[in-house]
Amino acid sequence: MLCWAFAGISAGHCATPDTLPALIPMPQAVKMNTGHFIFNANTVIRTEDAASPAIAYFRDQLRTQKINTRIITGASATKGKQELLITAAGAAQLPAEGYRLEITSTRIKLTGKQAGIFYGMQTLLQLVATNSNNAIPCMTIEDAPRFGYRGLMLDVSRHFFTVPQIKQLLDLMAYYKLNRFHWHLTDDQGWRLEIKSYPELTQVGAWRVPRIEFSGNTLPPQPGEKATDGGFYTQEQVRDIIRYAAERHIEILPEIDVPGHSMAAIAAYPELCVTRDKSIRVNPGSSFSKWFADGSYEMYVDNSLNPTNEKVYEFLDKVFTEVAALFPYPYIHIGGDECFKGFWEKDSTIQQFMRDHQIKNTHELQRYFISRLNKIILSKNKKLIGWDEIMEGDLDDHVAVMNRFGEKGAITQTKKGIDIVLAPGNNGLYFDYAQSTSDQEPSSHGGDAPAWKAYDYNPAYTSLSPADLQHILGIEGCIWTENIPDISKLQYMMLPRLLALAEGSWTSTGQKDYSRFANTALPAHLAVFDRTGMNYRVPTVFPLFDSTIVTDAFPFEIKQMPVPGAKVYYTLNNRPPGDYDHEYTGPITINVPRGKSITLKTIVVTPAGRRSIVTRTLLDNSQPPNKQ
């Protein structure tokens, strides 16, 4: 029996979430059929454009799965051979980035154009990776993304990541159909982009004294201490990364953070700030500010550009000339957030400038700065985007906003006709936050953001008209790296939350189903990570790491292993479990004597030896029974 099966389908239909393919993001529509297509030595790829980089990329990816195929061109089917036909014929009516995938036992037909073809290939690669013996279930998929902008931001200022590591991240993004890489290239802790007009930006600004961690106890640079920690990207390396990303249909949004967060630039060129303090050095993670309960803050070190100095605008013009020439993407991100204005307020020259120009306060002064910078960026045939604070002082320039404060600001911004990208940290999209409230999680920045929170994020604001909603370009996850010093922890903090972001930005709300995602699709993908050596946070048996259940008999049953092939160990004496303790082999009932309590602790150990945090469940039978 054939039927259309959607993610979130209710019981009683001809397909259920656990019989749908383990695809992330879930396609918009899947029609399941009986049988399998099996890739083997006789499989050929037939295409109209055998020289396409996308075809070469796809074949290379198949080879990593130990599948060797031949590429041929021609209009007629190949006799006696299994065939994968990749074609643009019939793709004219498909949505942007959309594709159609028809899988029978003898033939696969992938229809699409440009990015659509590429995303259909990713779907095929996932089907191969998550099904044994290269056997793909027969089905038809009709698919296209919910949002055009599906982004991930990486902060490389707080900690530097190499070119191969950036490329590895781009591969991961492509596999999950993310298409915008927001590259946070400058901040107080490092300037990472070669600017030929200002060589000291990288000679000085890319390096800081070494420190183990970013914390309130981290020492600032000491007299005579050498700056040896850091790095930067040459312009040729950037071009290489841009080419690499383009082959994967990923566009790169560069960010040069001004007027605040500019300490690395000021360390190289002190004349850019109001204080002209030549003792300022690149911050190594030590504290230089104080934050207050109402959200205000005070900087002890001047990290903001001088908005009244014409030399600053000459500097910005030259910097953005080179940035615009490097990056093809139509937008440049200028940061604009958390600009401390205390040094502006204390400076007599700035105060006189404000009187001369009828600028009432420093918020309006920031508006003056952003407006002038906008003209510079427009002169490079680029458009300006920045964090919410660029709108301070009622900026009326035509700019775009990357919204990090959530719904209230998003509604105001879109009603004004401003294009926005949604990246709110309080909605689970800051992947540097901890993945639970457990103190076993590695050090993090901010609160907690479990994967389900990122998955549930849905910016379908009911107060907005369809015209207003058109101004929401898409969704972005952010990774600030104060507490992420290396690639292993970066992977751990991203995964599996990046997969939740991918589905949230691609799949329509009606087709999303967290139960299918968490219990069917995610375990299959985590098993792939486990086999390939990718680090990730191993899900726990219980959704809560610390809970209390009032009971005299607890049915301990695991219906779905978080990772296929994993083992679960447990203790009943409040001691942390290890792989020498009780192994879960099937459902049991834990009886709790009257007036007593038992502490059940569990840990998941994957086939590759990765371990989850330990969960604690207090089984409490100490309370007297309720009287009727």
Side-chain angles (χ1 to χ4, degrees), residues 6 8-18 513:
F6 298 100
I9 191 168
S10 60
H13 289 67
C14 53
T16 59
D18 59 354
D513 178 354

Side-chain angles (χ1 to χ4, degrees), residues 114-179:
Q114 299 174 348
I117 286 279
F118 183 80
Y119 294 134
M121 291 174 178
Q122 304 315 304
T123 296
L124 275 174
L125 291 171
Q126 288 191 20
L127 288 170
V128 170
T130 57
N131 288 279
S132 59
N133 301 318
N134 302 330
I136 299 176
C138 295
M139 68 187 82
T140 300
I141 292 175
E142 298 271 357
D143 202 12
R146 178 186 183 189
F147 289 111
Y149 187 112
R150 305 178 300 280
L152 182 72
M153 186 220 74
L154 177 64
D155 163 20
V156 296
S157 173
R158 274 50 179 261
H159 283 99
F160 180 72
F161 292 88
T162 66
V163 170
Q165 289 168 345
I166 297 295
K167 289 182 175 180
Q168 183 185 57
L169 178 59
L170 293 170
D171 285 339
L172 189 66
M173 290 176 62
Y175 191 65
Y176 291 105
K177 303 184 176 74
L178 298 174
N179 67 348

Side-chain angles (χ1 to χ4, degrees), residues 23 25-28 94-101 110-113 115-124 141-145 177 506:
L23 292 170
M26 185 64 190
Q28 305 301 351
L94 292 175
E97 302 182 285
Y99 65 93
R100 182 185 302 111
L101 192 59
L110 170 58
T111 304
K113 53 185 186 294
I117 286 279
F118 183 80
Y119 294 134
M121 291 174 178
Q122 304 315 304
T123 296
L124 275 174
I141 292 175
E142 298 271 357
D143 202 12
K177 303 184 176 74
W506 179 281

Side-chain angles (χ1 to χ4, degrees), residues 6 27 87 92 109 201 217 250 285 297 325 335 348 357 401 442 454 504 521 622:
F6 298 100
T87 180
K109 182 180 180 182
L201 285 173
N217 297 322
I250 296 171
Y297 51 92
S348 59
H357 291 78
V401 169
S622 63

